[in-house]
Amino acid sequence: MSKTWRPATQLVHGGTLRSQYGETSEAIYLTQGFVYETSEAAEARFKGETEGFIYARYGSPTNDMFEKRMCMLEGAEDARATASGMAAVTAAILCQLKSGDHIVAARALFGSCRWVVETLAPKYGIDCTLIDGRDLANWEKAITPKTKVFFLESPTNPTLEVIDIAGVAKLANQIGAKVVVDNVFATPLFQKPLELGAHIVVYSATKHIDGQGRCLGGVVLSDKEWIDENLHDYFRHTGPAMSPFNAWTLLKGIETLPLRVRQQTENAAKIADFLAEQGKVAKVFYPGRKDHPQADIIAKQMTGGSTLVAFEMKGGKDAAFALQNALEIIKISNNLGDSKSLITHPATTTHKNLTEEARVELGISPGTVRLSAGIEDTDDLIEDFAKALAKVSA
């Protein structure tokens, strides 16, 4: 495959393995095992002397195609597809740490990501310091002699804060730590963490990569040396492997990723501008707007806005619920990146397990609402909001 291909072409043709039948669409290899012609051939494959598949928990032709296609898009040397986005996050963090090590993580994380670093890791003797990741000085202050990993998502969930990835990576390189970036909200089309200096990128493929609400999936991407030395054995022995059927579904979804994300982002930007003019809306957070607090960093590290919009209703939880309940086209769901527009109330869903104090630190108020823009007609979505806002008490 040509390295000069642009993303839209890579995502249709990249990494394709055709069988002897010459199928147009990728084949699904629903098998857990593989047959060897001789005992000697089996021995050589297990020794790594010959290439080939051994067991579906380690890899399969369908998963291999998905991994290769993601590598082309991300600019990574290697990848491992996982059963879910959280399997990818957990694997990327734990595979490289041991008791006594230290994680520095931006506090603005998806609830489950925060649980992994704040609750799970300490059970295994791995310390964690949560910081306000927007200020590089906070990353530097949190470093200890045992700091091995920096973990962040940018833009963040749900308030769309942006972190200077290149700046964090520079600090990490000074101490030999690795930077893990959850790049879901930016998508691989609008932000390239590896090019910015990050070492590992993770995705919930459940979101934009599938984009049609069909299946779970995740992926970890990095250089081949890091994966061979850290993730390879962890992956083989703990078993977070993706189903080949899900890999096939994601291969189909990824073909239309640029088309969907383009329309979703266009919708999100126009809705953000509309909401910013509404008297019942206190604040709007969107990476494509000039009033975003980190607009200067966005200009340096992102090539587009986002498919997500966060905003705060003046009437708090009651107003947020009234708005969501009055919408007709836009559905209430905690998922994101879907072709359908989805809306959720983070304080009572995705971030409900955080303390009230933690939510306040993250800027999640009772009135905070997160919208994942779909691919519907823009005017229909804005009209849906206008009608719903009219039903919200002032």
Side-chain angles (χ1 to χ4, degrees), residues 102-173:
H102 177 238
I103 304 168
V104 180
R107 68 190 184 191
L109 296 170
F110 172 57
S112 294
C113 292
R114 185 156 165 161
W115 183 87
V116 168
V117 297
E118 190 177 26
T119 303
L120 179 63
K123 291 182 178 181
Y124 299 97
I126 301 165
D127 294 326
C128 173
T129 301
L130 291 171
I131 61 165
D132 182 344
R134 293 171 295 181
D135 188 343
L136 286 176
N138 293 334
W139 293 93
E140 189 169 13
K141 291 175 186 175
I143 293 171
T144 76
K146 295 184 178 181
T147 301
K148 301 298 181 185
V149 168
F150 287 172
F151 177 51
L152 62 98
E153 58 185 49
S154 183
T156 63
N157 184 1
T159 55
L160 298 162
E161 296 175 359
V162 173
I163 294 171
D164 185 348
I165 297 173
V168 174
K170 183 178 179 180
L171 288 173
N173 288 334

Side-chain angles (χ1 to χ4, degrees), residues 240-312:
M242 177 184 288
S243 159
F245 182 82
N246 286 19
W248 180 83
T249 305
L250 292 167
L251 279 165
K252 296 294 92 187
I254 205 172
E255 290 180 357
T256 61
L257 179 67
L259 300 174
R260 289 183 284 106
V261 168
R262 185 187 312 138
Q263 182 62 41
Q264 290 168 320
T265 304
E266 181 180 322
N267 283 345
K270 290 182 178 179
I271 291 169
D273 289 342
F274 168 80
L275 291 172
E277 297 173 355
Q278 307 308 304
K280 296 173 184 177
V281 176
K283 301 176 185 176
V284 173
F285 306 95
Y286 185 68
R289 286 178 56 85
K290 293 180 181 178
D291 59 0
H292 191 286
Q294 292 90 45
D296 55 336
I297 298 173
I298 292 167
K300 289 192 302 181
Q301 70 184 34
M302 296 180 68
T303 58
S306 177
T307 67
L308 283 297
V309 180
F311 59 98
E312 184 178 330

Side-chain angles (χ1 to χ4, degrees), residues 55-60 63 67 80-84 87 216-218 234-236 238-244 246:
Y55 192 57
R57 177 156 51 85
Y58 307 164
S60 77
N63 292 41
E67 291 165 354
R80 292 291 183 274
T82 60
S84 69
L216 298 176
Y234 177 99
F235 186 86
R236 287 178 62 141
T238 62
M242 177 184 288
S243 159
N246 286 19

